[in-house]
Amino acid sequence: MPPPLVKNYARNEIQLQTRLEDLPISTPRHYEVRIKVSVAASSPKDWKHPHPDYFSIAVNQGDYCAGIVNAVGSDVRNFNPGDRVAGFHVMDTEHGTYAEYAIRPENTVFHLPEHVSDEEGATIPLAAFTAAVGLYRNSETTHAFREERRLEFPNAKGAAHCEWGGIRGRRFCDKARQRLNPDISPIIGTAGESQEFAKGSVVEDLETALGGAKCYHVFDAANTPASTEYLTAVLEKNGALTYTQRASPEDVALLDEAEIWHEQTWVGSVHETKLAGGKWFGAVMSRVFEMALTEKKLSGQPHQVVPNGLDGVRGALYLLRDRKGGNAKFVYRITATPGL
């Protein structure tokens, strides 16, 4: 049976459409891996990118999955049919992961150890690659090979955990004498639905947590840059802020006035040359992810299995759009799709 394909359409604020399509199974090119998808995962980007206010791209928006290698291109060396893997698909291109089969470049695929389930594995690529790009390319902090650090931030809703290679918390600050200082401590984070907390005494709590240390780095992993105002209150002049959502003109003006370096974390750079050496960086981090997972120094996000496989994508994307998804990652078991 040809693989089903889900396309996401958002024609206005209240309408989001998906449909299943039967398509021929695509052949991987010389550097690509074809995966028989076991579990796919969602991201807020999946409803945003089809929206006319963003990119208006109506393709299979699935980018993150776990499954079994089904075929490899002629130049692939690190993977063979039968390998269990997770990987990151090239955003806004064909052959996405809301399907029975998906294709992605070898450089952003990594093996999964036995103790990591397909559901957990599908949650890892986005968080891990985003954290790696934000930390080691945008912010230029060093280095990846450190012991795991965990923390809880007082007064925030839920626990904030920061693992090397994947950030579960919303934001962190570090004490450093300069941007390249490898001493990234203390790590301070907020997590979960912390908007109410942020509107209150967040600046005071950040300053208390710093304990007199200087804050030079902030990684804002929230889906909105609305935190810019209070983060600039604790960031030092010539500090660095990297964020996952494009900053508004007002935020840019505020950061420029405060003389804070800032840049969006573009996770897609591991598939392109927007940041020089992006593909190589993605390949190196994929191998590091494998080692960290095997040694249990990296783990996936909390996740929620959406019923009915691909038939559940539309409803879950509505929840993400309306910010009702909570802190768990939505994942879809492909074989649970009715009729497959």
Side-chain angles (χ1 to χ4, degrees), residues 163-184:
E163 296 181 317
W164 167 80
I167 299 210
R168 290 181 179 173
R170 292 290 194 188
R171 305 162 191 94
F172 77 87
C173 304
D174 67 34
K175 179 183 76 173
R177 288 182 291 275
Q178 56 181 325
R179 288 185 61 202
L180 299 180
N181 193 318
D183 177 22
I184 52 172

Side-chain angles (χ1 to χ4, degrees), residues 69-314:
V69 173
N70 176 264
V72 298
S74 58
D75 291 338
V76 171
R77 295 292 179 265
N78 293 319
F79 301 95
N80 295 291
D83 289 354
R84 198 168 70 94
V85 298
F88 177 25
H89 168 259
V90 181
M91 293 187 291
D92 295 328
T93 65
E94 296 181 327
H95 316 309
T97 62
Y98 295 141
E100 285 185 279
Y101 296 90
I103 288 180
R104 71 267 334 280
E106 177 186 22
N107 75 305
T108 52
V109 176
F110 49 92
H111 293 92
L112 292 177
E114 289 185 4
H115 71 268
V116 177
S117 68
D118 289 340
E119 290 78 8
E120 180 183 0
T123 72
I124 295 171
L126 174 63
F129 280 114
T130 301
V133 171
L135 288 171
Y136 309 128
R137 305 217 77 193
N138 284 27
S139 298
E140 297 181 359
T141 55
T142 56
H143 46 75
F145 316 107
R146 301 180 63 84
E147 290 301 313
E148 177 184 4
R149 297 171 183 261
R150 294 181 181 268
L151 66 123
E152 291 191 7
F153 192 89
N155 300 328
K157 292 183 179 178
H161 294 94
C162 177
E163 296 181 317
W164 167 80
I167 299 210
R168 290 181 179 173
R170 292 290 194 188
R171 305 162 191 94
F172 77 87
C173 304
D174 67 34
K175 179 183 76 173
R177 288 182 291 275
Q178 56 181 325
R179 288 185 61 202
L180 299 180
N181 193 318
D183 177 22
I184 52 172
S185 64
I187 298 174
I188 304 166
T190 67
E193 296 296 329
S194 54
Q195 291 183 4
E196 181 180 339
F197 162 69
K199 293 177 182 177
S201 58
V202 63
V203 173
E204 290 84 356
D205 282 334
L206 283 170
E207 291 174 341
T208 299
L210 283 166
K214 301 292 186 181
C215 175
Y216 285 93
H217 297 283
V218 171
F219 186 120
D220 190 340
N223 290 328
T224 172
S227 53
T228 302
E229 184 173 355
Y230 68 78
L231 289 175
T232 53
V234 296
L235 257 172
E236 291 295 307
K237 182 178 177 179
N238 297 321
L241 169 63
T242 185
Y243 37 77
T244 55
Q245 178 80 358
R246 285 180 294 181
S248 68
E250 294 78 14
D251 288 325
V252 169
L254 182 63
L255 291 164
D256 289 345
E257 181 180 359
E259 298 184 48
I260 293 171
W261 178 92
H262 57 94
E263 186 171 294
Q264 182 182 9
T265 301
W266 178 243
V267 65
S269 65
V270 296
H271 289 140
E272 57 188 38
T273 57
K274 184 174 181 178
L275 290 176
K279 293 181 180 179
W280 283 44
F281 179 77
V284 170
M285 294 310 302
S286 291
R287 303 289 77 77
V288 176
F289 295 162
E290 289 183 352
M291 295 179 63
L293 286 167
T294 299
E295 296 179 14
K296 298 184 179 181
K297 294 182 178 179
L298 176 65
S299 59
Q301 302 177 62
H303 54 270
Q304 176 180 336
V305 177
V306 177
N308 299 320
L310 295 175
D311 279 359
V313 170
R314 181 170 180 265

